[in-house]
Every structure is written in structure tokens, then in C-alpha cells.
Amino acid sequence: MTQEGQRVVLRRHPIGALRPEDFSIEAQSALAPGEGEFLVRTLFVSVDPMLRIFIDSAPLGGTFPAMPPGTTIPGPAVGEIIESRHPNFHSGEFVEGRFGWQNFAVSNGAGVNKVNRALGGPANALSIGGLPGFTAYVGLRSAGGVKPGQTVLVSGAAGAVGSVVGPLVQAAGGRAVGIAAGAAKCAYLVEKAGYAAAADRTAEDFTAQLARALPNGADLYFDNVGGPMLPRVLPFLARGALILICGLMDQYQGEDRSGPDHLPALLRAVMGKGVRLQSFTQAGQQALRPAFEAEMAALVAAGKIDVPLHVEEGIERLPYALCGLFDKAVAGKVLVRVAAPVETTTHSRIVEETS
Ligand SMILES: NC(=O)c1ccc[n+]([C@@H]2O[C@H](COP(=O)([O-])OP(=O)(O)OC[C@H]3O[C@@H](n4cnc5c(N)ncnc54)[C@H](OP(=O)(O)O)[C@@H]3O)[C@@H](O)[C@H]2O)c1
């Protein structure tokens, strides 16, 4: 069986803020799986901020090679296998993998996960059961886990990753405090996402809110945004706290957004309070998948996690959805549906985007 569809490619390396014109849509050539491969029809495609790094002309200051224009945008997607010549993957199975921004993909199974129905419908395999959920899990593990009574401060807390950090911290007996933009997202954190308290980064009394939420300081700062938020939270870190860099959302659209040099304040915290700084990546941590899925399934079954999904319709919406992530007004995970849904389950709560 062969299929034809569309794919979204990089048209040019973005300069500063992303624009939809940085991408173009092309017809996809017919694909057929070879021996040991399978063909996937994608249903939902994930929209992830880290893509902004990968499509830059000098990713993370040139740490990675630049992606040539014309390349299909990479990233996680969920789909249905429609033809298989692979012994362990079968037609009709739902799988999550780095299938990219395209209607069809051929895979040899590397890095592909079968959709775990204990984590909800297929779309949830890109949220709590996919990259954001796994990132939250691996991040807390890389920090040595959360001990009962410890306080974890999270920036970008109402995003896809932060929405999973809260329930994981709560389940470990810790106390999660979230930073988000606006009262609605802060209410979401406390009422739905396992956070003990939240601070509104757009409020005039943000610092006072942090002080109230962190009477004994934070033992761990799970940082999703970098930029000028870091010096603002330094006074609220406990002695010996760990700053865990998950991502630098504030800096992806251009280093000049970082503003003035905050290194002296960070170094004072390192020397004066024994604060430590480290990063982590979920990449290469596949061995943790079984433990991760078991823990997430327990949270789902107990009704302790429910991350809203914001679903846009049609492959042509992908560039717009990615651009919109950087001033996203909603809490939860953003996806684009590129083919008709096959089912919904009680755990797949789909909230339609209103834009
Ligand atoms: N280390 C890894 O292996 C790994 C893997 C996947 C993702 N990541 C990283 O994890 C981070 C979160 O990803 P995600 O999927 O949760 O993204 P997301 O759903 O887009 O959420 C990110 C949140 O960051 C906040 N934010 C955005 N721009 C900001 C700015 N300029 N200043 C302060 N806050 C800002 C927003 O919340 P408010 O506006 O409400 O504050 C937004 O909800 C990203 O940096 C991503 O690159 C890391």
C-alpha cells in the first residue's frame, strides 16, 4: 500500500520571533515501507517550543548543526499503522514517535512507543504520555527525586511540562509552587494541576506572591523558561537548592531577549547559598519508559492528573500553532489534528482552540 499526503518544511531560518512564512507546505511523495519498517498515518502532531531551537540558523549558539531549508519539521506525532513489514509492529496499532509534521511516515520502530490506553486516548500520547510528561518525569528523577516535604518551584508551570510536574511532585509528598501568566492559569494550577500555590508573573505584586508561597524557600527550581525570571526567583531559593534547567523558552526567539547580565546575582547565590545549576534531557532515557508509564497510569486512574488538550485542525495550522506557543494564553498542551479522529476516551478531554 502507498499513500500521498502533505508535509510542512522549513522554508527559511527564522530571525527573531517565528513567523508562519518561515514554513511552507509541500506535497508528500508516496511512501512504502521496506523490510523491517512500517507505514504510519499521522492523526495528531505535537507542537513543541523546543522546535524553535532546532530550526534556528545557529541552534543554541551553534551547539547543533543547522537544519537545511526544505527539511520536514521533526517532532512527535501519534498515528495508526496502516501497513507493516516489521515483526513487532502491526497494522491497526496506534503508535507515538518522531514522525514529524507530515501526513505519513515510514519508521523502523526506533524510539517508537505503542499508545498506552491506560494514559487515555491517542492524543494523550503527546501530552501526559508523551514528550511533555516524560520530560517532567525524567527531570524530577535527574534532580534525585522529590522527598516528602520538599518544595519545588516551577516556571512555565501551566504549560505542557509544568502541568505534569505538579501532580508528580504532589504524588511524591512534595509541595509544588507554580509561576504562570494571569489569574486564570494560576487558578488552573491550584485547582486542577496539583500545585499548592501559584504566583502570577504578570501581577504587580508578583514578588510578594512568591514570598507568601515560599515561606521556607524552594529546594528545587524546575526552570522551563530561563531569561529574566531566574534572577527574580533567586532570593526565594533555599540553601543548597538546585536550579534544574529543563528549557529556556524565554530565550528561544533570540538571545537579546535575555536582557541585562544576571550572572553576578547567580554567582552570589551559588557562593552564598550553595545553589547548584544543572540541566537534563529526556533524550536517551528510553529505559525509564516502563516506570514512567506505570506512574502516570496510577495518577490517571486515581484522577490526579488531567491536562487540557488544545487541538487545532488541519496540517496547515501547524506553523500558526507553533508561533502561538510563545504568547500562549491557555494552560495545557497544544496539538494539531491532521487526520480524522479514531476515538475518544474518558481521559482524552479535548478543549477546542478558540482562535
Ligand atoms: N529538557 C528536555 O528534555 C525537554 C524536553 C521537552 C521540552 N523541554 C522544554 O520544556 C519547556 C516547557 O515546554 P512545554 O512543552 O511545557 O511548553 P509550553 O506548553 O509552551 O509551556 C511553556 C510555558 O512557558 C511560559 N513562557 C513562555 N514564554 C515565556 C517567557 N518569555 N517568560 C516566562 N515564561 C514564559 C508560558 O507560561 P506563562 O506565560 O503562563 O508563564 C508557557 O505556558 C520548554 O522550554 C521546552 O523547550 C525540555
Side-chain angles (χ1 to χ4, degrees):
M1 185 194 299
T2 58
Q3 300 287 334
E4 290 182 55
Q6 290 182 305
R7 63 190 189 117
V8 183
V9 303
L10 178 64
R11 185 163 157 253
R12 62 186 183 198
H13 294 118
I15 298 168
L18 270 181
R19 281 180 289 178
E21 306 84 64
D22 296 328
F23 305 86
S24 53
I25 299 191
E26 294 184 353
Q28 201 182 3
S29 309
L31 296 173
E35 193 56 40
E37 295 180 331
F38 53 88
L39 178 64
V40 177
R41 182 179 72 115
T42 50
L43 299 170
F44 294 95
V45 176
S46 182
V47 182
D48 294 292
M50 212 169 238
L51 277 174
R52 177 62 185 83
I53 298 175
F54 298 141
I55 62 177
D56 202 78
S57 58
L60 280 182
T63 317
F64 304 105
M67 180 187 293
T71 306
T72 302
I73 303 299
V78 160
E80 180 178 7
I81 298 176
I82 56 172
E83 184 182 352
S84 181
R85 298 178 66 191
H86 192 294
N88 304 327
F89 292 90
H90 309 287
S91 284
E93 287 183 328
F94 292 95
V95 284
E96 178 269 336
R98 301 300 191 265
F99 303 132
W101 287 18
Q102 53 190 353
N103 287 120
F104 297 96
V106 166
S107 170
N108 63 8
V112 172
N113 303 299
K114 294 190 181 182
V115 170
N116 183 343
R117 296 310 173 93
L119 305 184
N124 271 335
L126 297 176
S127 176
I128 59 174
L131 177 67
F134 193 51
T135 299
Y137 180 83
V138 171
L140 293 176
R141 287 269 305 227
S142 76
V146 176
K147 319 260 176 322
Q150 280 190 329
T151 298
V152 180
L153 176 64
V154 185
S155 61
V161 173
S163 292
V164 180
V165 174
L168 286 174
V169 170
Q170 188 182 46
R175 186 171 172 275
V177 173
I179 296 170
K185 283 188 187 174
C186 288
Y188 156 78
L189 290 176
V190 174
E191 289 161 17
K192 308 249 176 179
Y195 282 81
D200 177 359
R201 72 181 173 97
T202 65
E204 273 182 23
D205 67 340
F206 171 64
T207 303
Q209 290 185 29
L210 273 183
R212 278 196 298 276
L214 297 164
N216 302 313
D219 304 294
L220 172 64
Y221 176 42
F222 193 112
D223 189 5
N224 287 307
V225 305
M229 186 56 74
L230 180 60
R232 297 187 79 182
V233 308
L234 284 176
F236 301 102
L237 299 187
R239 182 162 293 280
L242 175 64
I243 299 169
L244 184 67
I245 302 294
C246 172
L248 300 174
M249 186 92 183
D250 184 66
Q251 299 175 215
Y252 292 166
Q253 303 254 46
E255 294 300 319
D256 54 337
R257 285 173 59 84
S258 332
D261 177 13
H262 296 297
L263 191 58
L266 175 62
L267 292 178
R268 277 196 296 276
V270 168
M271 187 169 174
K273 292 203 280 190
V275 164
R276 295 159 297 137
L277 177 69
Q278 77 178 47
S279 71
F280 75 95
T281 174
Q282 55 75 40
Q285 299 294 330
Q286 195 71 1
L288 295 176
R289 278 293 307 188
F292 158 69
E293 288 189 22
E295 192 162 334
M296 295 305 290
L299 287 178
V300 170
K304 297 237 165 102
I305 187 163
D306 183 13
V307 178
L309 302 176
H310 299 273
V311 183
E312 296 206 32
E313 300 289 341
I315 196 166
E316 66 283 355
R317 291 298 303 163
L318 276 162
Y320 297 90
L322 182 61
C323 295
L325 270 192
F326 289 86
D327 49 11
K328 173 172 129 209
V330 291
K333 172 68 190 164
V334 176
L335 307 169
V336 172
R337 180 158 37 203
V338 299
V342 287
E343 65 172 312
T344 55
T345 78
T346 50
H347 298 306
S348 179
R349 185 160 65 83
I350 294 179
V351 181
E352 297 295 340
E353 185 83 355
T354 50
S355 73

